[in-house]
């Protein structure tokens, strides 16, 4: 089993993303990165809520961000759309470098 990501709702009605992975190291790195990015930079990223284990699987719970993963639609975009997205990403990185 690889990664599984599902949308869930907490007891308080908040939408969260639940990601399950059997690769402990990869998921731990992702959780550490998300926590660092949201606490120490201005880069937009889902907030990490918690990390836990179920049986032999590692689970991370983050803010749910609606939409589709960029890598699944990138090939369908024209050059202008790709340039606009690249510009937005470059702006996020530039703003972050100024703040550090």
């Amino acid at each position: 089993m690889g990664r599984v990501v599902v949308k869930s709702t907490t007891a308080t009605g908040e939408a969260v993303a639940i990601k399950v992975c059997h690769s402990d190291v990869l998921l731990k790195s992702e959780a550490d990165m998300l926590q660092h990015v949201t606490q120490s930079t201005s880069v937009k990223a889902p907030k990490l809520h918690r990390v836990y284990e179920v049986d032999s699987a590692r689970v991370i719970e983050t803010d749910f961000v609606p939409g589709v993963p960029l890598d699944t639609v990138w090939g369908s975009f024209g050059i202008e759309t790709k340039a606009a997205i690249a510009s937005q990403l470059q702006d996020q990185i530039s703003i972050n470098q100024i703040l550090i």
Side-chain angles (χ1 to χ4, degrees):
M1 180 176 154
R3 293 174 178 241
V4 177
V5 181
V6 296
K7 178 182 177 183
S8 185
T9 305
T10 66
T12 60
E14 179 181 16
V16 293
I18 306 291
K19 183 179 285 187
V20 181
C21 184
H22 285 278
S23 177
D24 183 48
V25 175
L26 290 176
L27 207 57
K28 174 82 169 98
S29 296
E30 184 174 347
D32 290 344
M33 181 273 312
L34 279 173
Q35 187 167 17
H36 170 72
V37 167
T38 57
Q39 291 179 350
S40 304
T41 74
S42 64
V43 173
K44 297 174 184 172
K47 177 184 168 197
L48 177 68
H49 292 275
R50 61 187 181 139
V51 178
Y52 54 96
E53 290 185 31
V54 176
D55 296 327
S56 63
R58 188 76 162 221
V59 180
I60 62 173
E61 186 176 301
T62 65
D63 286 344
F64 177 76
V65 179
V68 295
L70 182 58
D71 66 337
T72 64
V73 294
W74 185 258
S76 68
F77 294 150
I79 191 72
E80 291 176 4
T81 301
K82 288 179 178 179
I85 293 169
S87 177
Q88 291 174 36
L89 292 171
Q90 185 177 17
D91 288 347
Q92 282 292 309
I93 293 167
S94 297
I95 289 169
N96 184 52
Q97 289 175 345
I98 291 169
L99 297 175
I100 292 179

